[in-house]
Amino acid sequence: MLDLVIRDANLPDGRTGIDIAIDKDRIAEVAPGIRAEAAREIDASGRLVTPPFVDAHFHMDSTLSYGLPRINASGTLLEGIALWGELKPHLTREALTERALEYCDWAVGHGLLAIRSHVDICDDRLLAVDALLEVKKTVKPYLDLQLVAFPQDGYLRSPNARDNLARALDKGVEVVGGIPHFERTMADGSAAIRALCEIAADRGLMVDMHCDESDDPMSRHVETLAAETRRLGLNGRVTGSHLTSMHSMDNYYVSKLIPLMAEAELRVVANPLINIVLQGRHDTYPKRRGMTRVPELMAAGLTVAFGQDCVMDPWYPLGAADMLDAASMGLHVAMMTGSDAMRACFMAVTENPARILGLGGYGIAPGCYADLVILQAADPVEAVRLRAARLHVIRRGAVIAETAPAAATLHLPGRPTSVDYTLASKAGPPDRQARRAS
Ligand code: FE2
């Protein structure tokens, strides 16, 4: 007897009427009309069933600290970094742990079951590293947390960053971070990239750098990152996060840059929620959009994800661990409203970041982990449109979170008594049924 069968699911690849059979913690079969009996059945009723949301770029050490010790008055990246510097000496391991665990609860509720978090290693106490390594163990049964050793104050610029980064990696932090555009000169930025990529190559680790998070079109560290990736044979293991300067770069230069990035199989993470408010702050009008060239990078075959970056911290006062917020903002900022482009935005918060993190057993196929989310939506586009309710969140075959379907009760004469915003509802009006069938 199977443990669970999900009936009548729509899948992100467009298949409909699919049953998903689950045996213990793995998917056993994916096919229409599975006959086997199961201890539990969930009728998806033509709704979207997806592998979990994945956030490839987050800061778990600063999350939920909004207003501590004060609010970012200018709203700029640099004031955010300064503010974080004011808060750091007052951090305690207990408070960091509590905030991170609370954030992970939010994430689970929204079907976000894997997060890559940068952790600042420039505090000599490495409090945040110790706290998040403990959190990683605590949440492991329900959420995969991957940590990046992040020299927030600059690998070369901050006096102890070199030692602290090595200590953090020795403790078990698994990805090498960096922030070349925050070093004092372009030359120092290049030197930092070289040193950090060599550390990753020596230790057999992945790299994920905050790179060119700037409106300066001459901030070209991504070129060095791609070149070092190729030199050291790190293809497919290196991620450039943000890359916002690409928005402002000369088009001819970009026509040379993107093929280099593709040859290096560089992974890209754009953070649309943060960068649309942080970038372009020095512009009057027109104000530049603060995001890298997502559709062009996707068209060149690069793996591109949308990350959340920050939720309620010195850099960003909003957010709720909902990757559909990031997908929606990315879609709008990049003008990706074609139907394939909208689907690509959904993939940018599911499959693509899973590839970037190197998650094993991710997907909907026999042998994959039974990690699934049933949404109150018929397909990926409707999920993004509605920030659809995560009706059931399943981890290793067990339901770990549920949300009631969104619906409003109406009190209008001559109108239906309830409104359902989905076009997927089987109880919807006949013309909608016809539209679904066509
Ligand atoms: Fe970041």
Side-chain angles (χ1 to χ4, degrees):
M1 168 120 66
L2 294 164
D3 293 290
L4 172 65
V5 173
I6 299 168
R7 303 265 181 216
D8 192 14
N10 290 358
L11 302 188
D13 63 12
R15 282 179 286 167
T16 59
I18 299 294
D19 293 350
I20 302 168
I22 292 162
D23 185 20
K24 298 189 180 67
D25 62 346
R26 301 268 178 176
I27 294 173
E29 192 179 356
V30 180
I34 293 174
R35 287 179 179 274
E37 284 194 15
R40 181 175 181 188
E41 293 203 2
I42 297 175
D43 185 0
S45 302
R47 292 185 170 118
L48 176 65
V49 179
T50 177
F53 295 100
V54 179
D55 188 353
H57 189 109
F58 194 62
H59 293 264
M60 193 78 86
D61 50 1
S62 59
T63 194
L64 306 189
S65 68
Y66 178 67
L68 297 175
R70 62 183 176 82
I71 285 166
N72 183 337
S74 67
T76 59
L77 171 66
L78 293 182
E79 185 176 343
I81 293 174
L83 216 167
W84 175 238
E86 291 170 35
L87 176 58
K88 258 195 274 191
H90 305 292
L91 290 173
T92 66
R93 183 166 168 167
E94 293 69 29
L96 276 161
T97 303
E98 201 177 306
R99 286 199 290 263
L101 287 174
E102 184 173 4
Y103 183 81
C104 290
D105 292 344
W106 293 15
V108 168
H110 278 136
L112 167 56
L113 301 188
I115 299 173
R116 173 182 279 183
S117 173
H118 296 254
V119 49
D120 186 358
I121 53 87
C122 287
D123 175 352
D124 292 342
R125 300 171 298 168
L126 294 186
L127 263 187
V129 169
D130 289 335
L132 291 188
L133 283 169
E134 184 190 314
V135 167
K136 179 183 162 135
K137 268 193 221 148
T138 306
V139 302
K140 192 173 171 44
Y142 53 89
L143 187 147
D144 295 305
L145 179 58
Q146 188 178 78
L147 299 177
V148 184
F150 177 43
Q152 170 78 75
D153 300 333
Y155 183 64
L156 299 178
R157 182 171 172 172
S158 172
N160 296 333
R162 195 183 296 249
D163 287 346
N164 289 352
L165 187 121
R167 284 169 57 213
L169 297 177
D170 290 342
K171 280 173 180 275
V173 173
E174 61 234 274
V175 182
V176 179
I179 185 164
H181 58 278
F182 196 66
E183 307 290 356
R184 302 316 292 264
T185 64
M186 285 296 288
D188 277 359
S190 298
I193 291 170
R194 246 190 316 280
L196 290 161
C197 285
E198 284 172 2
I199 290 169
D202 287 347
R203 292 183 180 243
L205 300 176
M206 292 189 283
V207 175
D208 189 338
M209 289 196 199
H210 286 66
C211 191
D212 300 325
E213 190 179 5
S214 162
D215 295 321
D216 173 9
M218 297 310 290
S219 186
R220 294 177 168 187
H221 293 297
V222 61
E223 177 188 273
T224 308
L225 187 63
E228 286 301 305
T229 299
R230 292 186 69 215
R231 180 177 73 85
L232 295 164
L234 293 172
N235 287 39
R237 285 166 48 191
V238 176
T239 300
S241 281
H242 292 289
L243 307 182
T244 51
S245 71
M246 285 185 72
H247 184 90
S248 301
M249 283 175 183
D250 171 71
N251 287 332
Y252 178 78
Y253 173 69
V254 172
S255 75
K256 184 167 160 269
L257 174 64
I258 290 182
L260 173 65
M261 293 168 69
E263 278 172 41
E265 296 169 73
L266 212 63
R267 311 308 195 199
V268 173
V269 183
N271 296 299
L273 291 157
I274 304 309
N275 289 132
I276 198 67
V277 295
L278 287 185
Q279 306 309 127
R281 282 272 170 172
H282 299 282
D283 294 352
T284 54
Y285 287 94
K287 288 183 189 289
R288 284 168 286 180
R289 291 169 191 232
M291 194 165 77
T292 192
R293 303 189 186 202
V294 171
E296 292 78 9
L297 289 163
M298 285 180 171
L302 284 102
T303 299
V304 182
F306 290 135
Q308 195 155 224
D309 203 1
C310 301
V311 168
M312 300 189 71
D313 71 4
W315 296 274
Y316 188 64
L318 300 168
D322 186 349
M323 293 311 294
L324 289 173
D325 280 346
S328 177
M329 182 59 78
L331 182 156
H332 285 85
V333 173
M335 304 174 176
M336 292 176 69
T337 47
S339 59
D340 286 349
M342 289 194 287
R343 282 178 186 277
C345 290
F346 186 83
M347 298 308 159
V349 292
T350 50
E351 280 180 18
N352 300 358
R355 192 174 310 131
I356 290 171
L357 267 66
L359 291 180
Y362 181 91
I364 302 185
C368 290
Y369 282 122
D371 296 352
L372 300 162
V373 181
I374 305 176
L375 290 135
Q376 190 190 5
D379 57 42
V381 175
E382 190 165 78
V384 175
R385 178 174 70 83
L386 297 174
R387 320 288 201 284
R390 282 19 70 112
L391 302 175
H392 302 275
V393 178
I394 296 164
R395 169 83 167 181
R396 306 296 195 256
V399 175
I400 58 167
E402 290 175 284
T403 299
T409 302
L410 299 185
H411 306 286
L412 297 173
R415 296 301 304 153
T417 54
S418 68
V419 59
D420 176 350
Y421 307 98
T422 68
L423 297 181
S425 168
K426 288 195 166 171
D431 62 324
R432 287 190 183 174
Q433 300 284 335
R435 228 184 305 171
R436 284 186 73 221
S438 64

